[in-house]
Amino acid sequence: MSQPDAAAVPSRSGAAIDAAAARGAAALVGYLPVGFPDVDTSIAAARAMVAEGVDVVELGLPYSDPGMDGEVIQDAVQQALDAGTRTRHVLRAVEEVAATGAAVLVMSYWNPILRYGVERFSRDLAAAGGAGLITPDLIPDEAGEWLAASDAHGLDRVFLVAPSSTPERLKRTAAACRGFVYAASTMGVTGARAAVGARAEELVAATRAAGAERVCVGLGVSNGAQAHEIARYADGVIVGSALVRTLKRADGDGRAAIGDLRALVADLASGVQR
Amino acid sequence: MSAQPPSTPAGAPGVEASAAESLAAVTGPYFGEFGGRFVPEALVAALDELDAAWSAAKDDPGFVAELDHLHRTYTGRPSIITEVPRFAAHAGGARIILKREDLNHTGSHKINNVLGQALLTRRIGKTRVIAETGAGQHGVATATAAALMDLECTIYMGEEDTRRQALNVARMRLLGATVVSVTTGSRTLKDAINEAFRDWVTNVESTNYVFGTVAGPHPFPSMVRDLQKIIGIEARQQVLDLTGRLPDAVAACVGGGSNAIGIFHAFLDDPGVRLVGFEAGGEGVDTPRHAATITSGSAGVLHGARSYMLQDEDGQTMESHSISAGLDYPGVGPEHSWLSMIGRAEYRPVTDAEAMEAFRLLCRTEGIIPAIESAHALAGALVLGRELGPDSVILVNLSGRGDKDVATAAEWFDLLDGKGVTA
Ligand SMILES: Cc1ncc(COP(=O)(O)O)c(C=O)c1O
């Protein structure tokens, strides 16, 4: 199998970020887990996010041991698993959300992908119209099989960097990514925070200096004002827990929940304008 | 406690050749195809720091002397061995010898690992330790070391385990630790580990994660193994002194695998010695309620390493079950997966009922109340004895004592209404 070098394969999420930049905005990247509160509602919610201005959709593959997630996402994915959400539902969600024209990445811990088969998942993800994968617990050092499969199927691969990453690791990670590098704004797990880590701006600069083409910032972003602040210095703003929280209504009113989601996305979408 | 790898044949050129010939010289990050580091990037710097600190410390005579002094004056090392003929009478005439890790301070082998990691915490200048615990033995050991070395300490324990090991929760609190009851997922050890990793990634600048077994990302499997191998180093010599020969088999229970690798390691390069790990068979490996990871699991990634694990078709971790909280874990250390794959060690299941029968038998025949975890190894030794025949010598790691399990045992044997056990 021929392995073109990373830069030679066009990137779907990279193109979406570049299109946002051309409009004078940072890209808005929105995360929702598939299957929460149920598969159909999560798909409808993701499509609603695109309609309100999300440029790149991250669909979470629910996992039993989400070590990098805070309470909001832990609870949501547990509920999704309890309701019977399977890997094949995630691939169906990719297909239905990609049909909107948005770039769709799957965010997954590594074991479900390993179990499905790295090559087989890559093939099926590409066939569903997916742009690639974000892998929160896979570092490039362990990613040999995924590097090959993503090249073969033209998929983006988004690894993370953190405030603790050394310059050598930033370089290695930047070189392994296609699409963008995910900069974790703070040392910690997912969850909406009142303030985004002060080290985020520094980390973006260091990641660029290490060779990254595009850097998006996530962890802790919950409103348009924070998004605006990050849009000054990053190529994209990643929002997760705050969006998931809108779907978690005590009254279980799905239509009202999607209304709340739309309102938050609209606020964030105006925030990312530079 | 310096452990020299067995000498390599003359002329063996360098590390690679000796690693190929000596199983004991193999060390992480990979054991064959198992091990590695499947962790968030945010933790890589801390793991690198630990790896470097451990590599330096383990060969630093000052560090080795300090740990050795603590083991002699605080842990109670060397632990003794005890031959148990009345128990062995039920094992086809084999000789059974117990390595008494139950007599260590805090009541199990866990202290061997914790004292080393606590010293290392001080060495890297951190002031807070966190740990996960299942049975509570690792949590108690960590809280103990934290009290001794003046470190702040938080222990994560699944809510289910805080109930069945309530005595140990009280012990940890007496020692000054904060005990966090984890209510996510299955509310047992695996979820406590998730929560400890979340704490670590958030507080890594001040905090060291004192991992309790030979699982997890590199360097934990190798570092914890290095700290536990003292069990086998002592026991090998003690059995030689007592019997004039090496044992025919070494038996240990396997949760994450630290007491098992601790006693196996000194024998890895003795091909005549069978190494047998006993996993928690729960209600039977033909039911979904067990924790027999190597016996009936498959390879996957859990808690930062590739190893055997219990998982469903989609790679979701399955809930394990065992009467013993310390074995109730759906994963296992990568070195065990490798030893199983290459055929150097074998792993077999022991059910709750078999373990409790061996528990009762050791109490009644020898006056020793074992931990229910260790009772799995005792049950295994009874079977091995019948297989190996009279005059065979079986060394068993008695990894802990049963004080913490008295309530569970009383319930199992229905002792609470005054009926008593009939032998
Ligand atoms: C007495 C005892 N034995 C065994 C274990 C299992 O752990 P490992 O397999 O790491 O030795 C535990 C764990 O809590 C324990 O307390």
Side-chain angles (χ1 to χ4, degrees):
Chain A
M1 173 190 323
S2 77
Q3 283 175 24
D5 78 291
V9 179
S11 159
R12 303 267 288 281
S13 61
I17 292 167
D18 294 347
R23 298 196 304 269
L28 180 58
V29 183
Y31 164 91
L32 287 176
V34 175
F36 176 73
D38 56 70
V39 174
D40 288 336
T41 307
S42 64
I43 292 171
R47 293 175 61 109
M49 292 203 304
V50 176
E52 294 295 337
V54 158
D55 302 293
V56 178
V57 177
E58 261 183 52
L59 290 176
L61 195 158
Y63 176 53
S64 54
D65 295 273
M68 251 209 81
D69 285 302
E71 244 173 81
V72 170
I73 293 176
Q74 280 174 43
D75 290 351
V77 301
Q78 188 61 49
Q79 203 175 310
L81 289 172
D82 291 347
T85 307
R86 306 285 310 270
T87 301
R88 62 184 144 81
H89 296 128
V90 175
L91 289 165
R92 166 156 79 85
V94 168
E95 191 163 350
E96 294 187 26
V97 179
T100 61
V104 180
L105 296 164
V106 169
M107 167 96 158
S108 181
Y109 290 90
W110 195 235
N111 199 52
I113 307 295
L114 212 50
R115 186 67 168 169
Y116 195 93
V118 177
E119 163 60 26
R120 181 172 159 238
F121 189 85
S122 300
R123 186 196 65 205
D124 290 357
L125 179 60
L133 264 180
I134 303 177
T135 50
D137 65 345
L138 184 71
I139 53 177
D141 323 44
E142 301 281 3
E145 206 183 347
W146 165 231
L147 297 183
S150 53
D151 282 346
H153 295 281
L155 293 169
D156 291 348
R157 45 183 189 241
V158 177
F159 296 101
L160 278 70
V161 293
S164 60
S165 302
T166 59
E168 303 79 68
R169 291 202 60 80
L170 290 178
K171 221 181 208 172
R172 175 174 200 156
T173 305
C177 285
R178 178 165 45 237
F180 62 96
V181 179
Y182 186 136
S185 67
T186 61
M187 295 297 289
V189 295
T190 57
R193 290 178 178 80
V196 171
R199 292 155 88 182
E201 186 167 359
E202 254 171 70
L203 177 59
V204 170
T207 308
R208 285 221 180 90
E213 205 181 341
R214 304 176 196 86
V215 186
C216 299
V217 170
L219 291 200
V221 188
S222 59
N223 59 46
Q226 287 175 332
H228 192 64
E229 168 69 18
I230 295 166
R232 277 195 309 107
Y233 60 81
D235 299 292
V237 179
I238 306 169
V239 185
S241 298
L243 296 168
V244 177
R245 214 165 41 186
T246 63
L247 298 182
K248 210 173 257 199
R249 286 177 62 102
D251 62 9
D253 182 341
R255 184 175 305 222
I258 290 193
D260 292 347
L261 176 72
R262 281 180 179 272
L264 177 58
V265 173
D267 176 41
L268 292 163
S270 67
V272 294
Q273 299 299 321
R274 293 194 172 110
Chain B
M1 59 150 274
S2 82
Q4 299 304 324
S7 57
T8 45
V15 180
E16 270 196 37
S18 77
E21 283 142 30
S22 162
L23 297 177
V26 174
T27 198
Y30 300 100
F31 297 93
E33 64 185 74
F34 302 106
R37 268 188 187 173
F38 295 82
V39 293
E41 167 67 23
L43 287 177
V44 171
L47 292 168
D48 278 343
E49 178 187 30
L50 263 187
D51 193 17
W54 177 241
S55 297
K58 71 175 175 184
D59 296 325
D60 172 353
F63 181 91
V64 172
E66 193 175 5
L67 182 57
D68 182 61
H69 178 78
L70 270 178
H71 276 334
R72 278 186 289 103
T73 62
Y74 190 73
T75 310
R77 303 214 71 88
S79 64
I80 60 172
I81 57 168
T82 302
E83 181 157 9
V84 286
R86 277 173 38 78
F87 178 80
H90 299 259
R95 295 181 68 179
I96 295 182
I97 297 166
L98 306 183
K99 176 63 171 167
R100 301 292 304 279
E101 294 298 302
D102 61 317
L103 297 178
N104 293 341
H105 180 44
T106 72
S108 79
H109 68 293
K110 297 288 181 185
I111 192 83
N112 302 331
N113 167 42
V114 161
L115 288 176
Q117 289 201 54
L119 283 179
L120 197 65
T121 302
R122 278 209 317 219
R123 202 177 151 102
I124 59 179
K126 293 186 176 179
T127 55
R128 177 173 178 262
V129 287
I130 56 172
E132 82 295 344
T133 196
Q137 289 303 102
H138 176 59
V140 166
T142 304
T144 297
L148 178 69
M149 298 186 202
D150 193 22
L151 299 164
E152 195 187 329
C153 179
T154 298
I155 304 294
Y156 291 94
M157 188 167 188
E159 188 187 40
E160 163 91 10
D161 294 333
T162 61
R163 233 179 285 120
R164 57 182 164 175
Q165 307 277 277
L167 177 72
N168 273 343
V169 175
R171 288 171 81 196
M172 289 183 269
R173 292 194 168 134
L174 284 171
L175 291 159
T178 303
V179 180
V180 178
S181 169
V182 176
T183 56
T184 52
S186 61
R187 303 171 182 225
T188 60
L189 182 56
K190 90 172 173 71
D191 308 284
I193 294 175
N194 292 335
E195 212 45 42
F197 271 114
R198 292 181 187 115
D199 180 318
W200 202 28
V201 79
T202 307
N203 300 302
V204 67
E205 265 165 45
S206 68
T207 299
N208 190 27
Y209 185 2
V210 176
F211 202 73
T213 189
V214 290
H218 180 72
F220 290 121
S222 303
M223 177 169 64
V224 177
R225 187 268 322 270
D226 291 345
L227 288 164
Q228 290 290 4
K229 68 187 182 188
I230 191 169
I231 302 172
I233 293 169
E234 288 174 4
R236 188 175 183 279
Q237 189 59 49
Q238 288 167 321
V239 171
L240 278 172
D241 291 346
L242 179 73
T243 67
R245 65 184 189 90
L246 290 173
D248 298 286
V250 179
C253 66
V254 180
S258 68
N259 87 87
I261 209 74
I263 199 161
F264 288 175
H265 198 261
F267 299 96
L268 284 180
D269 293 314
D270 295 320
V273 179
R274 278 173 69 176
L275 305 175
V276 191
F278 293 94
E279 304 190 297
E283 293 172 11
V285 290
D286 50 349
T287 77
R289 289 178 59 77
H290 64 79
T293 310
I294 296 179
T295 305
S296 59
S298 51
V301 166
L302 175 64
H303 292 146
R306 186 165 188 280
S307 196
Y308 288 115
M309 60 177 289
L310 302 178
Q311 59 183 328
D312 72 11
E313 295 183 324
D314 276 0
Q316 308 292 346
T317 311
M318 297 201 308
E319 283 183 25
S320 53
H321 166 82
S322 169
I323 189 171
S324 126
L327 304 185
D328 197 350
Y329 180 56
V332 68
E335 192 168 2
H336 287 293
S337 293
W338 171 68
L339 290 173
S340 168
M341 177 165 272
I342 64 172
R344 176 62 188 97
E346 56 190 294
Y347 297 84
R348 306 184 186 181
V350 165
T351 64
D352 290 351
E354 290 163 340
M356 292 312 289
E357 180 54 24
F359 177 99
R360 186 198 63 83
L361 191 63
L362 192 73
C363 292
R364 288 307 188 89
T365 56
E366 302 285 349
I368 298 171
I369 302 178
I372 298 177
E373 289 80 11
S374 320
H376 288 70
L378 292 165
L382 294 174
V383 175
L384 282 177
R386 289 178 212 123
E387 288 174 13
L388 295 173
D391 304 324
S392 61
V393 174
I394 299 168
L395 172 65
V396 180
N397 196 3
L398 197 72
S399 57
R401 59 179 177 246
D403 309 37
K404 69 186 176 60
D405 295 317
V406 165
T408 305
E411 198 179 312
W412 179 273
F413 294 117
D414 208 7
L415 301 178
L416 297 174
D417 59 2
K419 270 197 249 158
V421 180
T422 43

